[in-house]
Amino acid sequence: MKDCLFCRIIRGEKEADFVYTGETVVAFNDIRPQAPVHILIVPTKHIRSINDIADEDRHIVSEIIYTAQKLAEQRGIHQSGYKLVFNVERGGGQYIFHLHLHLIGGW
């Protein structure tokens, strides 16, 4: 998607504070953090939302969650606890229509 904010970040057209870069997913700090640790984990493939995941994309969701678990461990919040949140569609709080997972914790 040409105008998608996250696609532009992934292509290097917009700046982000990357904490992980992989072939399937990237992760960067949220610009409006809700907690001391607030990371967005984003697939490199444009998938509009959870509602748009195709059968061939199932491995991407697994990679997103696995990456979140590893980042929580790296940030030292894996034992104290954290939230993983997918906002789905406008009514569910999704405002950027590129699938992403919020990793939130560190209180």
Side-chain angles (χ1 to χ4, degrees):
M1 298 291 293
K2 184 179 178 183
D3 294 330
C4 170
L5 175 62
F6 288 168
C7 288
R8 292 176 63 206
I9 289 171
I10 291 164
R11 290 192 305 261
E13 297 169 5
K14 291 280 283 181
E15 287 190 31
D17 183 14
F18 285 93
V19 295
Y20 175 79
T21 303
E23 187 175 316
T24 308
V25 301
V26 297
F28 47 87
N29 288 312
D30 194 301
I31 61 169
R32 293 185 190 99
Q34 304 297 309
V37 175
H38 190 164
I39 298 171
L40 303 178
I41 300 121
V42 182
T44 55
K45 175 183 178 183
H46 182 86
I47 301 170
R48 187 182 166 282
S49 81
I50 287 282
N51 290 337
D52 300 290
I53 294 172
D55 190 50
E56 64 267 13
D57 298 328
R58 290 184 302 165
H59 73 283
I60 294 171
V61 177
S62 176
E63 187 67 24
I64 290 169
I65 293 169
Y66 181 75
T67 300
Q69 183 249 337
K70 289 301 178 191
L71 288 170
E73 188 175 347
Q74 288 174 7
R75 295 296 172 110
I77 62 171
H78 62 294
Q79 296 205 0
S80 60
Y82 55 92
K83 293 180 185 182
L84 297 177
V85 179
F86 283 109
N87 296 321
V88 183
E89 301 299 338
R90 181 80 59 199
Q94 185 177 8
Y95 295 100
I96 297 176
F97 289 92
H98 184 128
L99 179 67
H100 58 286
L101 178 67
H102 295 258
L103 166 60
I104 303 168
W107 296 282

